[in-house]
């Protein structure tokens, strides 16, 4: 039964690779800012995903499914990442990153203080990296702009 689950998941991933590759093939950039353009990256990812899916189909492994506690933690982690994505522009990169890292730290049994310190350090380091070195502006947050939207 577990090997069948692995094969079904491999089949799902193969279909996902086909959809991803098809979407990547349709990318047309109005201008090219590098010699390759944006098309090869999704096609490369689709190819790697297809190879891994075929490997899962041909060599399924015995899978021990996690218990309810682990599935609950995985659900909370997904909810935290959805929260992060939903509040990214509104709260800004720094504040939403600090909150997300604090919540993830709690999932992995860290204290609130450890999560806060890690979140502040990670948010400030990434903000500095992107804004200063890579010159990619990250959102400061519309909540701080005064109009709330």
């Amino acid at each position: 039964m577990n090997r069948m689950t692995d094969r079904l998941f491999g089949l799902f991933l193969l279909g996902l690779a086909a959809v991803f590759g098809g979407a990547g093939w349709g990318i047309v950039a109005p201008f090219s800012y590098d010699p390759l353009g944006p098309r090869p990256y999704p096609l490369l990812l689709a190819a790697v995903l297809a190879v891994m899916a075929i490997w899962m189909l041909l060599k399924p492994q015995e899978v021990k499914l996690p218990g309810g506690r682990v599935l609950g933690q995985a659900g909370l982690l997904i909810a935290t990442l959805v929260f992060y994505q939903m509040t990214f522009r509104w709260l800004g990169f720094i504040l939403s990153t600090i909150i997300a890292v604090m919540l993830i730290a709690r999932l992995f049994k860290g204290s609130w203080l450890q999560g806060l310190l890690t979140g502040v350090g990670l948010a400030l380091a990434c903000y500095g990296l992107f804004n200063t070195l890579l010159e990619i502006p990250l959102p400061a947050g519309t909540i701080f702009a005064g109009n709330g939207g």
Side-chain angles (χ1 to χ4, degrees):
M1 183 66 182
N2 286 336
R3 288 179 187 242
M4 181 58 80
T5 303
D6 221 21
R7 286 191 172 118
L8 288 174
F9 190 64
L11 194 60
F12 169 76
L13 289 179
L14 190 59
L16 191 65
V19 169
F20 199 61
W25 189 261
I27 292 176
V28 177
F31 61 91
S32 182
Y33 44 84
D34 66 31
L36 292 175
R39 183 184 285 181
Y41 301 110
L43 293 178
L44 179 65
L45 290 175
V48 170
L49 183 60
V51 168
M52 292 171 38
I54 291 170
W55 182 261
M56 283 184 80
L57 286 169
L58 296 177
K59 297 278 188 182
Q61 305 272 323
E62 287 291 328
V63 178
K64 182 179 178 189
L65 296 176
R69 185 173 184 279
V70 173
L71 289 177
Q73 284 182 319
L76 288 174
L77 181 61
I78 290 171
T80 301
L81 294 175
V82 169
F83 165 81
Y84 182 61
Q85 188 271 331
M86 300 280 292
T87 61
F88 190 75
R89 287 189 183 267
W90 185 59
L91 293 177
F93 174 80
I94 293 177
L95 187 55
S96 62
T97 300
I98 290 171
I99 293 170
V101 170
M102 283 175 56
L103 294 173
I104 291 171
R106 292 295 298 166
L107 281 175
F108 289 97
K109 301 184 190 248
S111 69
W112 286 108
L113 181 62
Q114 289 171 327
L116 176 66
L117 293 176
T118 304
V120 168
L122 183 68
L124 292 178
C126 288
Y127 193 81
L129 174 72
F130 277 87
N131 275 354
T132 306
L133 294 178
L134 300 175
E135 296 181 0
I136 298 172
L138 293 174
T142 56
I143 191 173
F144 302 112
N147 59 8

